[in-house]
Amino acid sequence: MKAVYRANRTRAKIHGTAERPRLSVNFSNLHITAQIIDDDKKVTLAYATTVGKKLSGTKTEKAAVIGKEIAEKAKAAKVKKVVFD
C-alpha cells in the first residue's frame, strides 16, 4: 500500500504534456511494463511489456529489451523527450 501512496504523490507533481509526455515504468516479480502517456489528452502514446512474450534471462536483460522496444515506438510516435515517472 505504501508504494501506491508514493506513486500518487509523485504523479501529483509530475504531469506529462504533448511536448514532454510521461514515461511510466512498472516492475513486477515476473514482468516489466513501460508506457508513454500524454496526461493532457489522457492517451497512451506508446506501450511495451514482457507479458505474453517468451523472453528468457534476467530481469535486467528483459528490461533492456523493453527499453529498446519502447524507444522504437516512441520514435514512431515522434516523441523525443519524456519526463520520467
Side-chain angles (χ1 to χ4, degrees):
M1 254 342 227
K2 290 183 181 181
V4 173
Y5 292 128
R6 183 175 52 235
N8 288 338
R9 256 194 335 265
T10 302
R11 287 191 189 101
K13 298 174 187 174
I14 297 174
H15 184 77
T17 62
E19 294 174 3
R20 288 188 72 172
R22 178 169 53 100
L23 172 64
S24 178
V25 180
N26 184 17
F27 289 88
S28 72
N29 288 338
L30 296 176
H31 298 290
I32 300 168
T33 303
Q35 52 184 335
I36 298 176
I37 307 161
D38 182 358
D39 289 322
D40 288 340
K41 296 178 183 174
K42 297 181 182 174
V43 66
T44 300
L45 303 173
Y47 177 78
T49 185
T50 58
V51 177
K53 297 180 182 174
K54 299 199 178 199
L55 297 176
S56 61
T58 63
K59 280 183 74 174
T60 305
E61 293 167 349
K62 291 178 184 178
V65 170
I66 294 303
K68 287 180 184 177
E69 186 176 334
I70 196 75
E72 290 171 1
K73 290 183 178 181
K75 282 184 182 178
K78 297 182 182 175
V79 175
K80 296 186 181 191
K81 293 183 180 181
V82 296
V83 59
F84 187 73
D85 181 2

